[in-house]
Amino acid sequence: MKPVIVAEKPSQAKAYAEAFKTTKRDGYMEVAPDPIFPEGAYITWGIGHLVELKEPKAYDPKWNRWSLAALPILPERYQFQIARGKAQQFGVIKKLIQQTDTVINACDVDREGSNIFYSIYYHTGAKGKTIRRLWINSLEVDEVRKGFQQLRDNRQDLLLYQEAKARQISDWLVGMNGSRLYSLLLQEKGIREVFAIGRVQTPTVFLIYQRKKKLKLLCQSLSMKSKAFSKRKKENTKARQKSKQKNGKKRKRC
């Protein structure tokens, strides 16, 4: 059977395809028989996150309405869904994976790349497939071919996926609970806006606020120093003028 290569994004898939002779299809590329892939292969791609966590309302109707009484939002089991507008590409990947016995994770070599691949793979419902990992840091043709010749097993890849999945769920919990909590509490004080809270976003915004506050204080300090300097300069100018006037009077008397 032809192995299925899953890239993270179209540009990445295109870079892989340049290392082989390929034919463009709808949502994937077919690799012609090659010393690396004697029977050929298929290259397909995600579009970032094809699969995402479901919204709170999908778990319990009470979480559809923003209410302090409904918090915290803590599903017993987290569920995933196909991201809006990406069902067609997911369908292409699912069909290809179901027809093969070997799937190659060719997404980015990091936690997020592993998360994207396994989120798609598990959502297809595939079982019993051999999973290999492309582990390269360059998209140069020679490096791509070398990488496909030296595919790894997926032991380390699964660990990266578990780390990324834990981070993804924690982000979801912080966002869904924190955003509702702060927004509702502030609304009680008359601020009728939605405040998005995020594990990365909120601390980053606070750092920007601190920096802006320091710059404001710095500007005020520079302004005060500038005014003091100008005042001192004027005083010195007046003192010199008075000194000249006195010296002039003394010369006239002589």
Side-chain angles (χ1 to χ4, degrees):
M1 292 184 178
K2 296 181 179 181
V4 174
I5 301 164
V6 181
E8 187 168 321
K9 43 192 172 286
S11 60
Q12 192 177 49
K14 183 180 178 182
Y16 296 151
E18 290 175 353
F20 305 96
K21 183 179 179 181
T22 61
T23 302
K24 183 75 168 63
R25 306 295 186 192
D26 188 12
Y28 68 98
M29 287 176 275
E30 187 171 357
V31 178
D34 182 272
I36 299 175
F37 299 114
E39 296 182 17
Y42 296 112
I43 301 175
T44 187
W45 54 86
I47 310 171
H49 288 272
L50 287 184
V51 177
E52 62 186 12
L53 284 162
K54 288 185 176 181
E55 292 290 318
K57 62 183 179 183
Y59 300 96
D60 194 320
K62 70 179 181 181
W63 288 333
N64 186 36
R65 180 173 174 271
W66 285 38
S67 167
L68 289 174
L71 297 177
I73 298 172
L74 294 170
E76 291 185 7
R77 184 172 177 273
Y78 295 92
Q79 301 173 17
F80 292 81
Q81 64 185 10
I82 301 169
R84 184 178 299 177
K86 299 180 180 181
Q88 182 177 348
Q89 185 59 23
F90 176 82
V92 171
I93 297 175
K94 181 178 180 179
K95 184 177 180 180
L96 289 171
I97 288 178
Q98 289 176 339
Q99 294 174 348
T100 189
D101 57 1
T102 302
V103 185
I104 300 172
N105 176 5
C107 295
D108 288 350
V109 182
D110 54 24
R111 286 190 295 254
E112 204 58 35
S114 297
N115 188 28
I116 288 173
F117 171 79
Y118 282 101
S119 295
I120 295 171
Y121 177 78
Y122 288 132
H123 206 68
T124 65
K127 294 180 180 179
K129 309 291 182 180
T130 298
I131 300 176
R132 306 301 300 278
R133 186 50 156 125
L134 176 67
W135 201 273
I136 58 175
N137 292 307
S138 170
L139 293 178
E140 295 294 327
V141 170
D142 291 343
E143 289 300 314
V144 170
R145 291 187 64 84
K146 182 179 177 181
F148 278 112
Q149 288 175 318
Q150 301 175 351
L151 294 171
R152 300 186 180 187
D153 60 36
N154 68 330
R155 285 178 295 179
Q156 184 177 356
D157 207 26
L158 279 171
L159 293 175
L160 291 173
Y161 163 62
Q162 293 297 337
E163 289 179 22
K165 184 179 178 182
R167 190 271 313 150
Q168 183 182 18
I169 290 173
S170 67
D171 283 353
W172 188 90
L173 288 170
V174 169
M176 294 302 173
N177 286 285
S179 297
R180 295 186 183 206
L181 176 63
Y182 279 91
S183 296
L184 291 169
L185 290 176
L186 288 168
Q187 284 175 13
E188 289 180 355
K189 296 182 179 297
I191 303 174
R192 314 299 296 182
E193 292 184 31
V194 174
F195 289 84
I197 302 298
R199 177 181 62 88
V200 177
Q201 173 185 309
T202 303
T204 302
V205 171
F206 182 64
L207 289 173
I208 293 171
Y209 163 75
Q210 286 183 312
R211 181 64 175 169
K212 187 175 181 180
K213 191 175 180 180
K214 286 181 180 179
L215 287 172
K216 186 177 180 181
L217 291 173
L218 176 63
C219 289
Q220 290 175 346
S221 175
L222 290 174
S223 177
M224 290 175 66
K225 288 180 179 179
S226 177
K227 289 179 179 178
F229 177 78
S230 297
K231 183 179 180 181
R232 186 58 182 267
K233 187 177 180 180
K234 288 180 180 178
E235 290 174 350
N236 289 339
T237 301
K238 289 181 179 179
R240 285 196 296 270
Q241 288 176 345
K242 288 182 179 179
S243 177
K244 286 180 180 180
Q245 289 175 354
K246 288 181 179 179
N247 291 334
K249 289 179 180 179
K250 288 179 179 179
R251 288 194 188 97
K252 287 180 181 178
R253 288 175 183 175
C254 294

